Structures are given as structure tokens and as C-alpha cells.
Amino acid sequence: ADLALYRAKYEGKAGYHFFETSLDEAARRRRQLEIDLREAIVNGGFELNFQPLYCVAERRLTGFEALLRWNHPDRGQTKPEEFIALAEETGLIVPIGEWVIREACHHASIWPDVLTVAVNVSPKQFAASGLSSAILQALSASGLAPHRLELEITERTFSADIDATLATLHRLRSIGVRIALDDFGTGYLSLSRLKCFPFDKLKIDRIFVEDLGNSVTGQAIIRAITTLADALGMETLAEGVEDIRQLEALAREGCGHVQGYLFSKPLSAEEVLSLLDAGEPSASRMFGK
């Protein structure tokens, strides 16, 4: 009955659900996945991949976004969407997120000083006490300059205690850490929030990039976002750039930075070093150098 109730709540209000054997099987899989997540935290079962970020105007590599990967001992490579939600529900996202920050800072510390690393911070991790301390410790241990670390938060981060959220953001900015608003335009963040906190960057969600080159509406939305960002002194970055028409449209509409499979898939730490040694050939080719 409890499993049926849980499923009914999950599917939305004013609904019902009968118990099915599959619900018990799903609960067992979920419980096992939680156990496996805890073991991965203890035994170092995670790794980071890095997707390159490029400046459109300067046609050069500016940094990487750190992406969490889990090579499950039985399932193999497990997609983030299969375990991140569970990690947030159980609170395991907090220790996992702290590991990601430490690992990202460690890798970035051996890159050239002009390159940054961007790390996603979940709302639950952001709301937990100790985030600022974890970041300071990661920066101190790695020797990475604070301005080379960029934290990406989503609009959901503001759904809890707004005053506390803004206080933490200002505290992180005061030590030099950059703050980016991820998935901009997909939530319900009012424009007044952008006025309350001066983000360093607005990340334009891939759903607004997909129709570029084919849709006048898509170009108008990108133009509106870049114009707003420029007026507020913020950079823009479009994610999910997959073809040259999208890149050309983004350049015309004033988008400052891009990332996506047009340039590179996410790379392992070793592949990042190889890319740097090769002088960013993928960027040169895509920008037409």
C-alpha cells in the first residue's frame, strides 16, 4: 500500500494507483542503487569528464565543465539521470558534490592559468551547511585561484530560503568564485532576482539552441537573453551546440560562449591534457581558422 501511495504521489495530485508487483521490484532496484551509491562514495567509484567551453569572439578555449560519471561495477557506465535524482532524494548528493568540487579543482590546477572549470551545484547541496567551507578547502588543497572556479546553479536553488541563498552567493563571490545561472529561461525566476544578485554568466538552455538556423522565434529568444545579459554586465554561454548553423546564429545574436558536440564530446582527464597539448584543433576547425 505504501508503494502504491508513493507512486500515486509521484504521478501528481488527485490520482490513485493500485499495487503492482513491478512497484516492489522498482523499490528493490532503488534500494540496491542507493547501497551501490554509498559504496561508490566510500570506494572512489566516480570519475569526472570535462566538456570544453569556447569564447566565440576570441575563438579560443576558455575552460571546461566538469561532468560526473559513474562506472558501476555491474551496470557499467550509468547515466547521471539514473542516479542523480536518487542522490538528491537521499542526501547523498552532498558528499558526492563535495568530491566533485575537490576533484575538479585538482584537475584544473594543472591546466594553463587562463582556463577555468565549471561545477554544477545541486539545490540540496547548496542548501546544506558547509558548502562554502568545502569550496575553500578544495581551493586551498589544490592551489587553484578562486576566479578559475565557476559554480553553476539552477533556478530551483532559489525555491527555499532566498535570503540565505543570496547570502551564500555573495559570500562565495567575495572570495572570487564565479557564479553562473544554469538552464536560464526554463524555470520561473523573476527578473528581479537577476537584479538582486549579479551573476557572472547566464547559461542558455539547449532547448533554445535546437531550433536556431531554422526558427526566427528561436533567434529572437537568444537575442533577448543576450541583450538582457549585456545590460546587466553578465556573460552568456549556449549549451548543446551541435551544428555550424547554430554556432553562426549564436554569433550573430551576440552570444559570448558556447559548448556542445560541434566542438567536442565530454573528455576524460587524460583526453583534456592531450587536447591542450594538441593546441585545441577542434576549436580551430569549427571556427574556420
Side-chain angles (χ1 to χ4, degrees), residues 52-63 201-202 204 209 212 222 226 235-239 241 243-260 262-263 280 283-284 286-289:
L53 312 176
Y54 293 97
C55 175
V56 176
E58 298 178 8
R59 301 187 175 190
R60 69 173 182 87
L61 179 72
T62 58
K201 182 184 294 180
L202 298 183
I204 303 171
V209 176
L212 281 178
I222 297 295
T226 57
E235 298 177 0
T236 50
L237 183 147
E239 54 188 356
V241 181
D243 64 56
I244 193 65
R245 291 181 303 170
Q246 293 171 343
L247 175 61
E248 292 172 346
L250 288 166
R252 284 196 305 270
E253 303 305 338
C255 184
H257 299 78
V258 290
Q259 71 181 103
L262 174 64
F263 301 97
E280 313 157 36
S284 300
M286 289 302 104
F287 282 113
K289 280 188 176 180

Side-chain angles (χ1 to χ4, degrees), residues 174-186:
S174 69
I175 64 175
V177 174
R178 291 168 53 85
I179 309 293
L181 182 60
D182 200 6
D183 301 335
F184 180 72
T186 61

Side-chain angles (χ1 to χ4, degrees), residues 69-289:
R69 295 291 183 262
W70 181 20
N71 190 9
H72 191 282
D74 299 320
R75 303 166 180 248
Q77 284 293 339
T78 305
K79 297 179 180 179
E81 53 265 31
E82 296 178 15
F83 67 88
I84 291 296
L86 177 60
E88 292 211 16
E89 290 175 20
T90 57
L92 294 176
I93 194 65
V94 175
I96 292 174
E98 291 179 352
W99 176 87
V100 170
I101 292 172
R102 291 194 302 270
E103 193 73 1
C105 288
H106 167 71
H107 284 290
S109 67
I110 63 176
W111 302 340
D113 291 342
V114 294
L115 300 181
T116 62
V117 63
V119 177
N120 293 277
V121 179
S122 80
K124 181 158 289 189
Q125 181 187 358
F126 197 89
S129 61
L131 175 62
S132 297
S133 297
I135 292 172
L136 284 171
Q137 291 172 7
L139 291 172
S140 177
S142 64
L144 186 73
H147 72 272
R148 295 182 59 199
L149 174 63
E150 183 172 274
L151 302 182
E152 296 184 358
I153 65 172
T154 65
E155 298 180 19
R156 288 194 300 125
T157 305
F158 292 88
S159 62
D161 189 333
I162 295 177
D163 291 336
T165 297
L166 290 173
T168 301
L169 288 173
H170 282 292
R171 186 161 55 250
L172 292 170
R173 277 288 298 277
S174 69
I175 64 175
V177 174
R178 291 168 53 85
I179 309 293
L181 182 60
D182 200 6
D183 301 335
F184 180 72
T186 61
Y188 300 96
L189 184 71
S190 67
L191 295 181
S192 63
R193 292 284 176 262
L194 296 181
K195 183 179 179 181
C196 290
F197 183 79
F199 290 93
D200 295 287
K201 182 184 294 180
L202 298 183
K203 290 196 68 175
I204 303 171
D205 191 81
R206 65 180 63 245
I207 65 172
F208 300 119
V209 176
E210 290 174 352
D211 292 335
L212 281 178
N214 301 318
S215 168
V216 175
T217 302
Q219 295 179 38
I221 292 175
I222 297 295
R223 187 183 311 125
I225 295 175
T226 57
T227 301
L228 173 64
D230 286 343
L232 296 175
M234 302 176 188
E235 298 177 0
T236 50
L237 183 147
E239 54 188 356
V241 181
E242 297 184 352
D243 64 56
I244 193 65
R245 291 181 303 170
Q246 293 171 343
L247 175 61
E248 292 172 346
L250 288 166
R252 284 196 305 270
E253 303 305 338
C255 184
H257 299 78
V258 290
Q259 71 181 103
Y261 275 61
L262 174 64
F263 301 97
S264 173
K265 65 178 180 63
L267 306 172
S268 67
E270 293 75 18
E271 289 173 325
V272 167
L273 296 179
S274 297
L275 174 67
L276 297 177
D277 289 340
E280 313 157 36
S282 60
S284 300
R285 184 178 68 255
M286 289 302 104
F287 282 113
K289 280 188 176 180

